[in-house]
Amino acid sequence: MLPLLHDRALKYARRHGGVSPYDIGGAKNLFAIRDQARMLRTRFHTIIAQPGLQAGIATDDQLLLLAGAEKYVRDTIAGDFTVYCSP
């Protein structure tokens, strides 16, 4: 398992100009990140993939179900909601 993780880290570094996928630092750096995180806004993106659903022939019940799910996501976490389906 460890060699696989090391190989993935090397590939990541090659793709990103030598930047390591690992964060390096001590407790001071960790506490600085924690303090900054309090000021950041969390964003959620909900994506639903429905390959069997065809957009052109979706029933009213299916659309109402998706609309209810979207409203729930927007009301509870104020996030984005996307549905992917067949054309």
Side-chain angles (χ1 to χ4, degrees):
M1 179 78 170
L2 191 56
L4 177 62
L5 185 59
H6 179 70
D7 291 342
R8 291 183 66 184
L10 290 176
K11 289 177 185 176
Y12 179 91
R14 278 190 227 120
R15 285 192 314 265
H16 293 92
V19 176
S20 172
Y22 303 111
D23 288 331
I24 300 172
K28 182 179 177 181
N29 298 102
L30 181 62
F31 289 126
I33 291 170
R34 183 193 65 183
D35 292 338
Q36 290 173 357
R38 292 181 187 154
M39 296 182 287
L40 299 176
R41 181 174 173 245
T42 304
R43 297 188 57 170
F44 291 95
H45 303 281
T46 302
I47 299 172
I48 296 178
Q50 291 290 312
L53 176 68
Q54 292 184 348
I57 59 171
T59 66
D60 287 342
D61 288 339
Q62 290 170 324
L63 296 175
L64 283 172
L65 179 68
L66 291 171
E70 178 182 16
K71 175 139 178 57
Y72 177 79
V73 167
R74 291 190 187 273
D75 289 349
T76 56
I77 60 173
D80 296 333
F81 187 86
T82 305
V83 176
Y84 291 108
C85 61
S86 301

